[in-house]
Amino acid sequence: MAHLFDRYGVPVRTVLPWNAYPWYIDAAPSAQQSKAGAGVLVELLELTPEIEVVLLQGRDAERAWRRTVALQPRLADRLSIHATIHPGRRALFHPDPEERRRRVAQQERTFEEVSEQLAR
């Protein structure tokens, strides 16, 4: 992630990393955990009105974001949302090299979009 932020000119000091479930678990969050995480994310975003862009990395993040918006629908209007693959290597575990290239290209496009959004 840091490499991609650097490559697209997003200073890491302007990034607030957050997990779909913000407490440690060694697994994907359950529906209940995702809902709990969404509630905390609503609170965080209410405390940080300067946040303009949300970068969702992976399906768990996308599911958690849907739960977050369900709790606080006005967030969808206030923020620019961008989604891409999970930053871990497992997102590229696919037997088809073309699919792996497609995923990397989509990730790069998304980081470029985030950079452009932040430059506005």
Side-chain angles (χ1 to χ4, degrees), residues 39-79:
V40 174
L41 183 54
V42 166
E43 291 178 34
L44 176 68
L45 291 170
E46 288 175 350
L47 292 171
T48 53
E50 65 276 9
I51 291 178
E52 301 171 359
V53 176
V54 174
L55 174 60
L56 304 171
Q57 296 187 84
R59 291 185 195 120
D60 291 331
E62 290 179 42
R63 279 190 290 273
W65 182 250
R66 286 191 296 273
R67 285 186 167 91
T68 302
V69 170
L71 292 173
Q72 189 55 264
R74 65 185 166 91
L75 289 173
D77 298 329
R78 176 170 82 84
L79 300 164

Side-chain angles (χ1 to χ4, degrees):
M1 279 189 327
H3 171 73
L4 287 166
F5 284 133
D6 185 53
R7 180 175 173 187
Y8 292 101
V10 177
V12 292
R13 64 180 160 65
T14 66
V15 175
L16 175 61
W18 196 259
N19 282 326
Y21 183 71
W23 302 279
Y24 178 77
I25 53 172
D26 193 17
S30 67
Q32 183 178 3
Q33 289 168 325
S34 184
K35 187 175 180 181
V40 174
L41 183 54
V42 166
E43 291 178 34
L44 176 68
L45 291 170
E46 288 175 350
L47 292 171
T48 53
E50 65 276 9
I51 291 178
E52 301 171 359
V53 176
V54 174
L55 174 60
L56 304 171
Q57 296 187 84
R59 291 185 195 120
D60 291 331
E62 290 179 42
R63 279 190 290 273
W65 182 250
R66 286 191 296 273
R67 285 186 167 91
T68 302
V69 170
L71 292 173
Q72 189 55 264
R74 65 185 166 91
L75 289 173
D77 298 329
R78 176 170 82 84
L79 300 164
S80 175
I81 309 305
H82 304 267
T84 189
I85 62 173
H86 188 279
R89 291 177 174 236
R90 290 174 56 183
L92 299 177
F93 285 180
H94 195 281
D96 181 5
E98 185 56 38
E99 176 60 20
R100 290 192 300 269
R101 282 190 288 276
R102 187 195 67 73
R103 290 178 184 185
V104 168
Q106 189 270 338
Q107 182 184 45
E108 291 172 343
R109 278 192 311 275
T110 302
F111 272 76
E112 185 173 23
E113 290 169 5
V114 166
S115 174
E116 291 170 357
Q117 181 68 39
L118 290 171
R120 293 181 189 168

